[in-house]
Amino acid sequence: MKSDRLLSILLLLQTRGRVPARELAERLEVSVRTVYRDVEALSASGVPVYAERGRYGGIELLAGFRTDVTGLTADESRALFVLAAQGAHAALGLDAALGSALRKVMAALPAPHRPAAEATSRRILVDATRWKSGPGRAVDLDALRDAVFADRRLRLRYRHSGEREPRTYTVDPYGLVAKAGVWYLVADRRARPRLFRADRVHSARLLDDPVRRRPGVELADVWEVLRRRVEERPDGLEVTARVRRARLDMFLRMHAASLAAPVEDDGEGEWVTVRLSYGVLRAVRQLLGFSDQVEVLSPPEARAELRAAAAAVAELYRRGDEGAAAGTAGTAGTAGTAEMARATGTAGSMGAAGT
């Protein structure tokens, strides 16, 4: 909208001083002619702005025309420009709004703090996604976001992990949470807290009914309950294993959530002992990803589970190799039969000719 563009021009000029018209046009994604028309509109409304032509010209406000917000410290100014999980703004459709908001904040900062804030925005970057997380399923947050902001109930078609068909739920949303690059909907279902991964939502529809949240309960409160429910699992199977020291760092990065106790490493020997905790016995199979770099020492049922899993993998590949070998042999046999037929036919022809 033109009003938003005029405000953006004003704030950019307050922040930067003299700015070439072409730079303003590129930032605002309009033509240079539009920029000059907007400058005329600002001037007509009483803003002391003027354009100076020439090689070093540009558009500028009269000295002293600015609005400062006092009371912010230098650290507070820096904190405003450390933006965690920048991809979150794009997922919520707020990327453009973020850029506009930062321009407004920069213009409102006390002049002595602006250099520190600008340096922070260029020198600090927070990327909340995990390494090698792989391409994820496309997530459409529009309906979830609308329900959260409109305080409306939500009808979900949601597929749980390990299930093929989605289920239908009517929920009362508290809000959205982005954790390690994954979006979650935090909501009540029948007045009980539930957590829904956004990438498992097949469809979401806003209902006409207003949301029914528990009195006095906020998003942060519900998230804390759900987070602790996930992280503080009930006592399950405790496993003692040893890890080759050369692979210890990678092992700890990948299995930190399963550690039952801090790792005590004296820096000696080829192996380091670790203690792990799993909710179910079958979960120990994930250790096979480290092949012979990890050995489970106890309990016996964990070792037996890994032996059975390794044997099943070996059998799968043995059958695959036998099938491939049989196919190769069959092809060779067919070729041999054809060759014999050709040889027989040739001999018969020779005999007939001789006769």
Side-chain angles (χ1 to χ4, degrees):
M1 294 176 62
K2 183 176 180 179
S3 58
D4 290 336
R5 195 169 65 244
L6 293 177
L7 182 57
S8 293
I9 291 175
L10 177 59
L11 294 173
L12 283 168
L13 295 179
Q14 285 189 178
T15 304
R16 298 281 307 280
R18 181 178 297 177
V19 182
R22 185 171 298 279
E23 182 178 336
L24 284 175
E26 291 174 354
R27 281 176 171 265
L28 301 173
E29 298 181 348
V30 296
S31 66
V32 174
R33 180 175 296 180
T34 299
V35 167
Y36 279 120
R37 283 201 300 263
D38 288 345
V39 168
E40 291 176 1
L42 284 172
S43 180
S45 65
V47 176
V49 59
Y50 64 97
E52 189 169 310
R53 301 188 181 277
R55 181 178 180 182
Y56 299 103
I59 298 170
E60 190 173 1
L61 294 169
L62 286 179
F65 183 83
R66 63 181 65 251
T67 301
D68 286 344
V69 174
T70 59
L72 287 174
T73 67
D75 283 344
E76 288 170 341
S77 302
R78 290 190 183 96
L80 291 172
F81 286 82
V82 177
L83 302 174
Q86 292 174 342
H89 301 95
L92 293 172
L94 297 175
D95 252 4
L98 173 64
S100 176
L102 288 181
R103 287 194 293 270
K104 294 175 183 177
V105 170
M106 183 65 77
L109 287 177
H113 300 334
R114 287 182 195 141
E118 287 183 340
T120 299
S121 66
R122 295 194 306 268
R123 299 290 179 259
I124 304 296
L125 175 65
V126 179
D127 186 346
T129 57
R130 296 179 179 179
W131 290 110
K132 299 182 179 179
S133 56
R137 182 176 178 270
V139 178
D140 184 1
L141 293 177
D142 289 350
L144 304 183
R145 179 197 60 200
D146 292 344
V148 167
F149 291 153
D151 290 333
R152 302 254 295 277
R153 303 193 92 190
L154 197 60
R155 182 71 50 81
L156 296 180
R157 291 279 291 162
Y158 184 81
R159 185 187 63 80
H160 291 274
S161 176
E163 296 184 4
R164 299 184 62 181
E165 297 298 325
R167 302 185 187 185
T168 301
Y169 298 104
T170 299
V171 300
D172 297 291
Y174 283 90
L176 294 166
V177 174
K179 182 173 178 61
V182 179
W183 282 97
Y184 295 90
L185 173 70
V186 176
D188 273 356
R189 179 174 181 264
R190 297 176 180 173
R192 299 176 67 87
R194 295 289 299 270
L195 193 62
F196 300 91
R197 275 186 64 136
D199 57 2
R200 292 183 187 154
V201 174
H202 280 233
S203 65
R205 180 169 61 88
L206 272 71
L207 303 181
D208 294 332
D209 301 332
V211 70
R212 304 173 188 174
R213 301 186 183 111
R214 286 167 283 149
V217 179
E218 299 292 337
L219 171 62
D221 303 322
V222 186
W223 172 250
E224 181 64 16
V225 171
L226 294 169
R227 183 191 63 79
R228 292 177 61 182
R229 185 181 297 174
V230 172
E231 295 180 355
E232 298 175 6
R233 295 165 300 182
D235 293 338
L237 179 72
E238 187 164 301
V239 173
T240 301
R242 62 176 188 168
V243 183
R244 290 191 192 274
R245 187 179 304 281
R247 306 292 285 177
L248 180 62
D249 287 345
M250 179 177 290
F251 180 86
L252 294 179
R253 286 198 301 271
M254 296 180 64
H255 294 276
S258 300
L259 289 176
V263 176
E264 298 180 3
D265 182 8
D266 58 9
E268 299 180 359
E270 181 183 0
W271 298 88
V272 178
T273 301
V274 298
R275 289 199 307 151
L276 307 162
S277 179
Y278 296 103
V280 294
L281 175 61
R282 192 177 181 84
V284 301
R285 293 189 172 207
Q286 61 189 264
L287 297 178
L288 287 175
F290 277 82
S291 185
D292 62 348
Q293 304 299 300
V294 174
E295 180 188 6
V296 169
L297 304 176
S298 66
E301 56 266 32
R303 291 178 62 89
E305 180 71 17
L306 290 177
R307 278 198 304 270
V313 172
E315 178 65 13
L316 176 67
Y317 282 94
R318 184 187 67 78
R319 290 179 179 177
D321 290 344
E322 287 180 352
T328 302
T331 302
T334 301
T337 302
E339 183 65 29
M340 289 178 63
R342 286 195 297 271
T344 304
T346 301
S349 299
M350 291 176 62
T355 302

